[in-house]
Amino acid sequence: MTGNDYELSLNKLMILFLIEKAGLPLSNTQLSDFLLVSDYTDYFSLQTYIGQMIDARLLKSSKISSHTLYDITDAGCETLEYFKNHIPESIKDDMIIYLKKNKYDIKSKFDVVADYIPEKNGDFYVNCVAKEDNKNLIEINLRVTEKEEALKICDAWESKSHEIYKQLLYNLLE
């Protein structure tokens, strides 16, 4: 593997690692903040890597308001798990420190919350919210009859809210 191929592979693995460790989709700006400021890559290369990783189905993108968010796919997780040891520990440590230092900024930019409340009649009231900059983008309230359904909706909202929002907008504006 040539030096350029190694750098290409390392930068792609770093993107996967950063998103996986963040535990939520990241915007282009959030990825750039770490990778560009730390001089791991340049802006145009980063955009190329992201595009290649979407094409390879290692990342998926979703548009929320005016922001595009990138999330790791199952294939991306498998790839990262297999090649994670190719990322030097010092770089992993830098990424983890960056995420810890910026966790409130990252999470407050796009906040997704779901919870349920048992009702007196045995039903469950489920509240799902997605926020951007502390303002509601979408809030969905559902009533279900089973606790398992409420739990499943909460779990699904945490991982699929961006896709649900995008699809809802598409359907409403069609």
Side-chain angles (χ1 to χ4, degrees):
M1 183 181 301
T2 67
N4 284 345
D5 290 340
Y6 174 76
E7 184 179 314
L8 172 88
S9 298
L10 176 61
N11 286 326
K12 288 180 179 180
L13 288 171
M14 288 169 59
I15 292 166
L16 293 174
F17 186 86
L18 201 58
I19 294 171
E20 188 221 25
K21 288 298 176 193
L24 68 155
L26 297 178
S27 69
N28 200 313
T29 303
Q30 292 166 327
L31 289 170
S32 298
D33 280 349
F34 176 77
L35 294 165
L36 301 181
V37 171
S38 301
D39 284 331
Y40 287 112
T41 190
D42 61 80
Y43 178 80
F44 297 106
S45 296
L46 176 60
Q47 301 318 304
T48 301
Y49 301 152
I50 290 170
Q52 290 171 345
M53 294 169 71
I54 289 169
D55 291 345
R57 300 194 191 319
L58 299 175
L59 290 179
K60 61 183 174 185
S61 67
S62 58
K63 192 128 173 105
I64 300 284
S65 188
S66 62
H67 302 283
T68 301
L69 299 178
Y70 301 99
D71 202 1
I72 190 168
T73 63
D74 290 340
C77 287
E78 288 174 25
T79 300
L80 181 61
E81 189 59 37
Y82 190 74
F83 292 108
K84 188 185 304 191
N85 61 332
H86 292 279
I87 305 171
E89 289 301 318
S90 61
I91 294 175
K92 287 181 193 173
D93 291 344
D94 286 348
M95 287 189 277
I96 290 169
I97 289 168
Y98 167 80
L99 290 170
K100 284 181 181 176
K101 189 170 128 184
N102 295 287
K103 72 179 175 183
Y104 297 112
D105 291 336
I106 291 170
K107 286 190 182 265
S108 69
K109 185 74 175 159
F110 302 101
D111 198 16
V112 176
V113 181
D115 202 3
Y116 69 92
I117 301 167
E119 302 225 315
K120 290 180 183 177
N121 67 357
D123 287 350
F124 294 84
Y125 177 79
V126 184
N127 175 252
C128 304
V129 181
K131 296 181 178 189
E132 177 183 5
D133 294 324
N134 288 327
K135 295 178 186 161
N136 283 8
L137 283 173
I138 184 171
E139 182 171 6
I140 298 174
N141 297 303
L142 304 164
R143 183 166 272 110
V144 296
T145 58
E146 301 292 327
K147 182 178 181 178
E148 293 76 27
E149 293 172 329
L151 289 168
K152 190 172 181 179
I153 290 169
C154 289
D155 289 342
W157 183 253
E158 298 284 333
S159 63
K160 298 178 182 177
S161 61
H162 303 301
E163 295 162 27
I164 293 167
Y165 176 77
K166 183 171 107 178
Q167 189 63 42
L168 182 62
L169 273 181
Y170 176 79
N171 287 336
L172 292 172
L173 297 174
E174 192 175 280

